[in-house]
């Protein structure tokens, strides 16, 4: 896969999210974000892939914290607020997770 970006994590409301830089732009790996909110990765993955033009999601090869190469569905961090605004908080039943949105 060549020279892959290395994942860095940061804590956000008690969850550890994976970020990295690719082609001069900062990205966030979406699966940890979706799971931290208690949502279904399958349905959100379909939503993100079906709206690539809106959310600019793409599969990017990275080197994970364990040193293994992985392809991750990722979104430019600047688009994350737009995606969060698209979530209906009434569909999240856990009040702690709902407050994160």
């Amino acid at each position: 896969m060549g020279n892959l970006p290395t994942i860095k994590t940061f804590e956000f409301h008690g969850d550890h999210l994976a970020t990295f830089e690719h082609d001069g732009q900062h990205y966030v790996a979406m699966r940890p974000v979706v799971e931290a909110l208690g949502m279904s990765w399958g349905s959100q993955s379909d939503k993100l892939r079906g709206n690539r033009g809106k959310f600019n999601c793409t599969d990017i090869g990275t080197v994970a914290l364990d040193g293994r190469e992985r392809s991750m569905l990722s979104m430019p961090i600047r688009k994350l607020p737009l995606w969060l605004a698209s979530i209906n908080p009434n569909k999240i039943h856990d009040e702690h997770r709902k407050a994160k949105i």
Side-chain angles (χ1 to χ4, degrees):
M1 283 190 180
N3 190 16
L4 299 176
T6 300
I7 293 176
K8 297 178 184 172
T9 61
F10 70 96
E11 188 174 330
F12 184 74
H13 293 285
D15 298 304
H16 294 278
L17 304 181
T19 64
F20 55 92
E21 187 175 339
H22 178 71
D23 290 338
Q25 188 165 202
H26 293 277
Y27 284 83
V28 62
M30 290 306 296
R31 187 172 189 148
V33 175
V34 169
E35 290 176 347
L37 294 172
M39 299 180 342
S40 163
W41 172 242
S43 61
Q44 287 301 309
S45 174
D46 291 344
K47 175 183 174 179
L48 293 168
R49 291 178 194 285
N51 289 288
R52 287 185 190 262
K54 181 177 183 179
F55 299 119
N56 295 80
C57 284
T58 189
D59 291 292
I60 299 175
T62 61
V63 177
L65 294 174
D66 64 6
R68 295 183 60 197
E69 294 180 5
R70 291 194 176 81
S71 180
M72 298 182 156
L73 183 60
S74 304
M75 175 186 296
I77 289 177
R78 64 182 172 75
K79 292 285 191 168
L80 190 59
L82 175 66
W83 174 74
L84 288 170
S86 75
I87 298 169
N88 180 350
N90 293 327
K91 291 188 176 184
I92 298 178
H93 304 291
D94 181 295
E95 291 300 319
H96 175 72
R97 290 177 171 168
K98 185 184 295 191
K100 294 178 184 183
I101 295 178

